[in-house]
Amino acid sequence: MGVAANISQPDAATRLRAAQEERARQRRRTRLLLLAPALGIIGIFGLFPLSIALVYSFLEPGTYGGVEWVFSYDAYVQFLFERDIFDDTLAFNSAYLQIFGRSFGLAITTMIGTLILGFPVAYFIAARPPEQRNFWLFAITLPFWTNLLIRTYSMLLIVRDEGFVNLMLMKIGLISEPLEMLYTDGAVLAGLVYSYLPFMILPIYASLEKFDFSLLEAGHDLFATRTQVFRHIIIPITRPGIVAGCVLVLIPALGAYITPELLGGGKKLMIGNLIALQFGSGRNWPFGAAAALILMAIVLIALLVSLRAGASKEGGHG
Amino acid sequence: MDKLLSIFRPSTGSRELRRQPLFTGMSWLVLLFLYAPIAVLVVFSFNDNRSVVRWTEFSLRWYAAALENDDIRRSAMISIQVAFTATVFSTIIATMAALATTRGGVYRGRSAAIALINQPLMIPEIVTAIATLAFFSILRQLTGVTGIGWLILAHTVFCVPFAYMPIRARLSDMSVTYEAAAADLYATPWQTFRHVTLPLLMPGVMAGAMLAFVVSLDDVIITLLVAGPGETTLPIYILGQIRRGVTPEVNAISTILIGLTVAMVTLTFFLQRKRK
């Protein structure tokens, strides 16, 4: 103790460093304690269950739902082939491939549809004076928070045989018999575009929000036509927003459940319905888990492609 | 010179360039597309007729019928119980995580932590739903615990990222100078948080809590698969009714839900704008 009384210069530096280290350690500890609940709950109950689903997909279905703990890759075989119950031979069956194909087609069409409808809106909002932007942004975001089920139901009310659209068309005299719109791919597509349009508009808007529109005039001064200005200025600037919007629409559209359920009437199945069916009345949990994992794989590929698409041509930024 | 140049320019005036006239019309049409179906639903919930098609007279009878329906009341209570509990837990968890990711300095693994917190947003809901169901069915068997706690837990998980977003946004907009000043005046970290950070952060916390509440209240897919018998929430009840056929009662209860959501989101919107 007595020695510490006459501190030499290097001693002070060491103690200072020790104090700093102590504080850094304390900060790290606080940080970890603060992060632990979020990472714990999402890691254990959000991420880990995915590996359970992986395990389930390699088991045999239980008679009353659930699984039998017997290894089997039947779930994946079943995806492409049908097993004959009498002689156990496999025959090619494209029914499930068709469902995946339909989902993919509908999701991509939804993506293109939301882009065609959403891009002009995003551009329009960004070109507004700031005080008007807030109104538009609010108007576009509000439906996103409204219950998806209820919005789909409202779509159903509109496209039914005795729904609003048919009623109006018949009143004008354009048609005499109601058009059968419900339970078609068109109705599902309309529902999907309706549900996920805000996901396309918001990221494109975000990429245009800080855009200096006088650049357009600069382009114009350099004798660019309207189309050229659009192609060489606007499109490169909004590219990250378009890519983000496409991903944000594609992922939920691929896994859609409510929209095809209500507007497709159970006849036009999508992957989401197929999966849910296996965990419900289908009582084939392993097959449902396998279908879910294939969906996950498609989503991951889409994400990777989008990362590439978003990263390349970064030079386009002015 | 300018006049001379304009001869060579394409016909449109330069001031008009930012405006794409076609886009203005399309934007209003999109707005109509987004709101018309909801408007039809809301209007016909006040219709005094069993048919949801022909307008007869203004009436509140379907609201009265909906409020007297025991099934609706029971499922509404369950919805509120689940949403409220999940909101409280997820908001606390999200606030802690937001503090660690904005105030903890720059450190290794921070972006990984943020990615993990946002993970529930990156996976199709149906996948999360069946994975959670599979995991919970094992846990239920192992622990023997049943009840609504599992549903609340599942909701808490997907509410965390929604609560996290506005809280983190608010925190990164807040200057650290007040907190530094408090620390200089020998406030303990807890005192600094309690009397400086938290009051300033409150609008963000409220916004996060409301978004979490709305998201939990609206959930269908995860609830549909994870909920046990007798744990029917309001959206699940509505889904069952729609499957059976269109009734004005569903319109009425839907309108109430829409009204609640719109009120909360509007409030959130203004809470978040206040910071600017």
Side-chain angles (χ1 to χ4, degrees), chain A residues 83-148:
Chain A
R83 197 181 284 279
D84 195 292
I85 34 171
F86 296 113
D87 57 10
D88 229 29
T89 51
L90 294 172
F92 181 70
N93 174 9
S94 66
Y96 299 122
L97 266 188
Q98 275 174 21
I99 292 176
F100 267 72
R102 185 213 309 290
S103 306
F104 219 67
L106 276 170
I108 299 256
T109 322
T110 303
M111 193 180 88
I112 296 167
T114 51
L115 182 60
I116 292 170
L117 286 179
F119 188 92
V121 180
Y123 183 95
F124 170 78
I125 299 174
R128 298 276 90 191
E131 65 276 8
Q132 285 179 30
R133 283 186 203 174
N134 275 324
F135 159 75
W136 276 92
L137 281 179
F138 181 63
I140 297 296
T141 358
L142 194 55
F144 161 69
W145 296 111
T146 321
N147 197 321
L148 181 65

Side-chain angles (χ1 to χ4, degrees), chain A residues 31 34 38 42 46-47 49 56 123-124 127 139 143 145 147 149 153-154 162 194 216 220-221 223 226 257 261, chain B residues 5 9 12 17-18 20 24 27 33-35 37 53 93 96 104 107 116 119 137-138 218 235 243 246 251 261:
Chain A
R31 207 157 64 199
L34 286 173
I42 292 177
L47 207 56
Y56 267 37
Y123 183 95
F124 170 78
W145 296 111
N147 197 321
L149 172 68
Y153 169 61
S154 74
E162 58 271 32
Y194 179 59
L216 295 189
H220 191 68
D221 284 342
F223 305 102
R226 210 172 249 261
Y257 171 79
E261 172 87 7
Chain B
L5 273 175
R9 269 189 203 136
T12 42
L17 255 182
R18 64 150 58 197
Q20 305 270 353
T24 312
S27 300
F33 174 60
L34 284 178
Y35 283 90
V53 189
I93 293 169
M96 290 167 74
Y107 49 91
L116 184 60
Q119 179 263 354
S137 79
I138 294 179
D218 284 354
R243 275 176 179 159
V246 177
N251 281 28
T261 309

Side-chain angles (χ1 to χ4, degrees), chain A residues 27 31 33-35 37-39 41-50 52-53 56 69 116-117 119-121 123-129 134-140 142-151 153-158 160 162-164 167 190 193-194 197-198 201 213 216-217 220-221 223-226 229-230 248 251 255 257-258 261-262 272 275-276 279-280 285 288-289 292 295-296 299 303, chain B residues 5 8-10 12-21 23-24 26-28 30-31 33-38 40-41 44 52-53 93 96-97 99-101 103-105 107 113 116-117 119-120 122-124 126-128 130-139 150 153 156-157 160-162 165 211 214-215 217-218 220-221 224-225 235-236 238-239 242-243 246-247 250-251 254 257-258 261-262 265-266 269 273:
Chain A
R27 277 186 76 174
R31 207 157 64 199
L33 278 175
L34 286 173
L35 270 176
L39 299 188
I41 199 167
I42 292 177
I44 297 171
F45 297 105
L47 207 56
F48 181 66
L50 293 175
I52 299 282
Y56 267 37
W69 288 85
I116 292 170
L117 286 179
F119 188 92
V121 180
Y123 183 95
F124 170 78
I125 299 174
R128 298 276 90 191
N134 275 324
F135 159 75
W136 276 92
L137 281 179
F138 181 63
I140 297 296
L142 194 55
F144 161 69
W145 296 111
T146 321
N147 197 321
L148 181 65
L149 172 68
I150 293 176
R151 278 194 295 149
Y153 169 61
S154 74
M155 200 59 168
L156 182 140
L157 289 180
I158 294 263
R160 281 187 320 158
E162 58 271 32
F164 205 68
L167 222 65
V193 170
Y194 179 59
L197 190 54
I201 297 175
F213 279 90
L216 295 189
E217 278 140 41
H220 191 68
D221 284 342
F223 305 102
T225 62
R226 210 172 249 261
V229 164
F230 216 83
L248 287 178
I251 293 179
Y257 171 79
I258 296 173
E261 172 87 7
L262 293 187
I275 297 169
F279 282 83
W285 287 29
L295 172 63
M296 264 303 289
V299 165
L303 275 175
Chain B
L5 273 175
F8 300 101
R9 269 189 203 136
T12 42
S14 63
R15 294 272 154 235
E16 291 299 306
L17 255 182
R18 64 150 58 197
R19 237 170 253 145
Q20 305 270 353
F23 286 8
T24 312
M26 266 190 87
S27 300
W28 286 102
V30 163
L31 212 58
F33 174 60
L34 284 178
Y35 283 90
I38 299 178
V40 170
L41 181 146
F44 277 95
V52 214
V53 189
I93 293 169
M96 290 167 74
L99 283 168
T101 45
R103 289 294 188 269
Y107 49 91
L116 184 60
I117 291 166
Q119 179 263 354
M122 279 288 116
I123 293 176
I126 185 75
V127 178
T128 312
I130 65 108
T132 310
L133 169 63
F135 187 40
F136 281 7
S137 79
I138 294 179
L139 289 182
W150 296 108
L153 179 59
T156 306
V157 174
V160 168
F162 285 97
M165 282 187 295
L211 291 190
V214 165
V215 167
L217 199 63
D218 284 354
V220 174
I221 302 176
L224 192 65
L225 284 165
I236 302 300
I238 293 175
L239 180 64
I242 297 173
R243 275 176 179 159
V246 177
T247 66
V250 170
N251 281 28
S254 299
L257 256 177
I258 292 173
T261 309
V262 169
V265 174
T266 311
F269 187 73
R273 276 193 59 195

